[in-house]
């Protein structure tokens, strides 16, 4: 398929039709990753300058800034920024420091008054960052507004870039990322889970953990009952800094299964994938349409439990008001795994998504990080408020219990960090199914080479 014909089809087709297999993809990248990048304070310092002070990074959702004056502080290492909705409706980012003697103006998240007053010497600023209150005639108010940083939005997410010379967000993401993700209508989804917690591992250990499915047999054996893990069916697309991987969402060992066994497997999926629950009534209707008078279930050629699940998902979401015309049948069921550099991993399919982000720990310890888990669902407007989740900021390690698979990852990642500290282990040896990790670290290397 040519690029032109791919662009004329649904964007999601492009991933399936032009995606690389694990074997083909792994030939493109270094499959041995040095371990010092997970444990070295010197490497942390290099990442700070080459990556974190130069790239676009997600700091929240647009709906957190609904009203004029809504603000949110964002910290990366010892740097503090604030994003605020101005009285004029604009969304702006600033260095979180008074221009007089550097006193912080914002803490956490909240609603600012029309005048933002520094409590040290009472200089004041408006919601657009202009200096309004300073009685000293020697100060040029026009020259001492708050220092701006880049802020932009995509798919309902708010991005910030500390670099005043950064290219625009859409250029950083790239046309293909935007084109493939837009039809999901992420900006219309509601946050239904929002948890942040410090972990005893490097931030890249978190990213690596979610960039491959090779660990499912070892860490998530319960998934093997309901989910196929077949490298021959996995496809990858590498989009400069970013990537997307897709594996079919279907019942394990579906080949050779009769219709009843396929249906039985799909009915078990909600134990692991709760979002399937809402489409099961329509799925049952479609299945029953293939039953004979005596209850025998027979699927004609081209119909499987997977295709009926896809149709049920499309029918249910369309009925409830979500426009899914831009999504393929495979996107009704299959999770696409997205990596948006530097620290954004997302699994997404029609109507739902889960995002995992990790950032270096503010104290700079390479053996610690902050991870942030958010889940999103498309819900009819009348249900959004009831299901919207508030941030849970976990202070007591282990006190928050994640859903089963995520809890297993939560417990595994600090274990890996312990092993990575061994001096004689100088590199990790990736297998072909871990090629997304290899691509990801190639992007890290490209950034580090610039400083």
């Amino acid at each position: 398929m040519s690029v032109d014909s791919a662009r004329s089809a649904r964007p999601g087709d492009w991933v399936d039709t032009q995606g690389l297999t694990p074997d083909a993809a792994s030939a493109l990248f270094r499959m041995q990753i040095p371990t010092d990048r997970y444990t070295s304070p010197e490497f942390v310092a290099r990442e700070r300058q080459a990556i974190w002070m130069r790239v676009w990074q997600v700091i929240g959702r647009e709906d957190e800034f609904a009203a004029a004056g809504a603000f949110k502080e964002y910290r990366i290492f010892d740097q503090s920024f604030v994003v605020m909705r101005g009285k004029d409706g604009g969304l702006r980012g600033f260095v979180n420091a008074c221009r007089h003697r550097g006193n912080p103006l914002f803490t956490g998240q909240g609603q600012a008054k029309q005048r933002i007053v520094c409590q040290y010497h009472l200089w004041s600023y408006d919601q657009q960052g202009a200096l309004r209150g300073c009685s000293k005639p020697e100060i040029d108010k026009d020259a001492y507004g708050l220092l701006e940083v880049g802020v932009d939005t995509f798919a309902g997410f708010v991005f910030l870039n500390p670099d005043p010379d950064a290219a625009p967000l859409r250029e950083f993401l790239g046309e293909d990322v935007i084109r493939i993700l837009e039809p999901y209508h992420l900006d219309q989804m509601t946050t239904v889970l929002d948890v942040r917690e410090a972990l005893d591992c490097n931030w890249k250990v978190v990213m690596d953990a979610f960039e491959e499915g090779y660990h499912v047999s070892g860490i998530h054996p319960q998934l093997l009952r309901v989910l196929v893990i077949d490298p021959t069916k996995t496809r990858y697309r590498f989009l400069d800094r970013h990537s997307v991987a897709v594996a079919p969402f279907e019942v394990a060992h579906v080949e050779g299964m009769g219709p009843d066994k396929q249906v039985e497997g799909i009915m078990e999926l909600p134990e692991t994938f709760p979002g399937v629950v809402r489409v099961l009534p329509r799925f049952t209707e479609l299945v029953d349409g293939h039953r004979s008078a005596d209850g025998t279930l027979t699927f004609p050629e081209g119909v499987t439990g997977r295709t009926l699940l896809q149709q049920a998902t499309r029918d249910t979401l369309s009925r409830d008001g979500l426009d899914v015309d831009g999504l393929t049948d495979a996107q009704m069921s299959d999770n696409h795994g997205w990596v948006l550099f530097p620290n954004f991993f997302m699994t997404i399919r029609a109507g739902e998504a889960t995002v995992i982000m990790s950032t270096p720990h503010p104290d700079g310890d390479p053996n610690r990080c902050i991870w942030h888990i958010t889940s999103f669902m498309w819900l009819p407007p009348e249900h959004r408020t009831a299901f919207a989740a508030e941030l849970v900021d976990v202070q007591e390690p282990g006190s928050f219990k994640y859903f089963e698979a995520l809890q297993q990852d939560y417990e595994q990642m600090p274990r890996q960090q312990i092993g990575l500290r061994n001096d004689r282990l100088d590199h990790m040896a990736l297998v072909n199914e871990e090629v997304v990790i290899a691509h990801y670290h190639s992007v890290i290397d490209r950034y580090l080479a610039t400083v």
Side-chain angles (χ1 to χ4, degrees):
M1 177 181 285
S2 69
V3 173
D4 289 340
S5 61
R7 292 184 188 283
S8 65
R10 285 173 170 147
D13 282 326
W14 186 55
V15 177
D16 289 323
T17 58
Q18 295 194 3
L20 297 170
T21 65
D23 291 352
S26 64
L28 302 175
F29 306 105
R30 178 179 64 166
M31 301 298 284
Q32 294 183 343
I33 307 301
T35 55
D36 64 342
R37 63 185 53 202
Y38 299 93
T39 61
S40 164
E42 290 76 19
F43 201 89
V44 172
R46 293 177 64 198
E47 287 179 329
R48 182 188 188 279
Q49 290 307 117
I51 297 174
W52 294 103
M53 295 301 108
R54 296 179 55 197
V55 299
W56 289 95
Q57 45 212 277
V58 171
I59 66 98
R61 292 283 286 176
E62 283 190 82
D63 55 19
E64 298 179 71
F65 302 91
F71 71 86
K72 184 175 185 178
E73 182 190 12
Y74 177 69
R75 293 185 181 185
I76 186 71
F77 292 105
D78 58 355
Q79 303 296 290
S80 176
F81 306 96
V82 65
V83 174
M84 182 167 57
R85 179 78 68 186
K87 185 179 179 180
D88 62 353
L91 198 61
R92 297 176 179 84
F94 306 102
V95 173
N96 185 20
C98 178
R99 292 298 305 280
H100 176 211
R101 284 173 54 191
N103 204 56
L105 298 171
F106 301 88
T107 301
Q109 187 170 2
Q111 188 73 29
K113 297 180 179 179
Q114 288 195 21
R115 286 291 179 97
I116 296 97
V117 180
C118 176
Q119 296 305 308
Y120 198 2
H121 300 91
L122 303 183
W123 284 31
S124 64
Y125 303 83
D126 64 22
Q127 293 176 355
Q128 288 71 250
L131 178 61
R132 296 300 186 192
C134 174
S135 60
K136 301 303 179 181
E138 63 270 29
I139 297 298
D140 179 358
K141 291 182 182 178
D142 292 338
Y144 282 92
L146 298 180
L147 296 170
E148 289 205 43
V149 293
V151 167
D152 206 343
T153 62
F154 171 68
F157 293 99
V158 178
F159 291 74
L160 177 145
N161 194 321
D163 182 1
D165 300 318
L169 173 63
R170 294 183 79 86
E171 182 178 327
F172 174 81
L173 293 174
E175 176 186 350
D176 292 316
V177 171
I178 294 168
R179 187 172 58 87
I180 298 171
L181 286 178
E182 278 184 335
Y184 286 104
H185 303 295
L186 259 164
D187 57 317
Q188 299 177 25
M189 293 190 189
T190 300
T191 304
V192 296
L193 175 71
D194 193 7
V195 183
R196 184 172 59 200
E197 183 173 359
L199 293 184
D200 288 333
C201 65
N202 188 271
W203 68 277
K204 297 182 293 299
V205 166
V206 176
M207 294 302 296
D208 294 350
F210 294 95
E211 291 172 353
E212 49 88 5
Y214 181 47
H215 70 276
V216 168
S217 298
I219 302 300
H220 313 301
Q222 77 280 4
L223 299 186
L224 297 176
R225 292 189 304 110
V226 297
L227 185 65
V228 64
I229 304 296
D230 184 352
T232 67
K233 297 182 178 181
T234 304
R235 294 292 180 269
Y236 306 101
R237 292 292 303 166
F238 300 110
L239 307 170
D240 191 25
R241 305 170 180 87
H242 320 294
S243 67
V244 56
V246 59
F249 185 93
E250 60 188 11
V251 177
H253 313 299
V254 69
E255 289 85 357
M257 271 190 182
D260 288 294
K261 281 293 185 181
Q262 292 180 39
V263 172
E264 181 182 322
I266 287 172
M267 298 301 287
E268 293 180 6
L269 288 175
E271 296 179 20
T272 305
F273 303 99
V276 176
V277 170
R278 63 175 163 181
V279 307
L280 288 184
R282 178 57 179 152
F283 174 74
T284 302
E285 289 178 4
L286 294 171
V287 168
D288 287 345
H290 295 286
R291 293 190 188 277
S292 61
D294 64 1
T296 301
L297 181 61
T298 305
F299 288 159
E301 186 176 353
V303 174
T304 65
R306 170 179 159 84
T307 64
L308 293 180
L309 177 63
Q310 292 169 348
Q311 185 62 52
T313 303
R314 188 178 293 278
D315 292 349
T316 301
L317 293 173
S318 297
R319 178 203 66 198
D320 290 345
L322 177 61
D323 177 9
V324 293
D325 288 347
L327 298 175
T328 68
D329 288 340
Q331 287 173 293
M332 294 297 105
S333 58
D334 298 352
N335 278 302
H336 281 196
W338 281 91
V339 179
L340 301 183
F341 193 79
N343 68 327
F344 181 101
F345 174 81
M346 173 173 66
T347 58
I348 185 168
R349 64 192 187 100
E352 61 182 335
T354 295
V355 171
I356 296 167
M357 294 187 292
S358 61
T359 52
H361 197 277
D363 66 11
D365 184 347
N367 299 291
R368 304 179 71 199
C369 74
I370 306 293
W371 86 331
H372 194 166
I373 312 298
T374 47
S375 291
F376 306 93
M377 292 187 70
W378 189 90
L379 298 167
E382 63 270 22
H383 298 312
R384 292 173 184 171
T385 300
F387 286 92
E390 297 291 329
L391 173 66
V392 177
D393 207 347
V394 180
Q395 301 300 317
E396 180 71 25
S399 62
F400 185 89
K401 295 303 179 185
Y402 301 91
F403 58 83
E404 185 178 26
L406 200 59
Q407 182 70 27
Q408 290 163 333
D409 289 309
Y410 169 81
E411 294 169 1
Q412 163 59 29
M413 291 182 292
R415 288 198 295 266
Q416 183 187 358
Q417 187 69 29
I418 292 171
L420 289 170
R421 293 175 177 176
N422 285 289
D423 292 338
R424 287 191 60 193
L425 183 71
D426 61 1
H427 70 273
M428 303 188 306
L430 304 181
V431 303
N432 290 354
E433 294 164 63
E434 298 169 311
V435 66
V436 173
I437 298 175
H439 169 263
Y440 177 71
H441 283 268
S442 76
V443 180
I444 290 175
D445 291 340
R446 281 161 47 192
Y447 271 87
L448 294 178
T450 64
V451 295

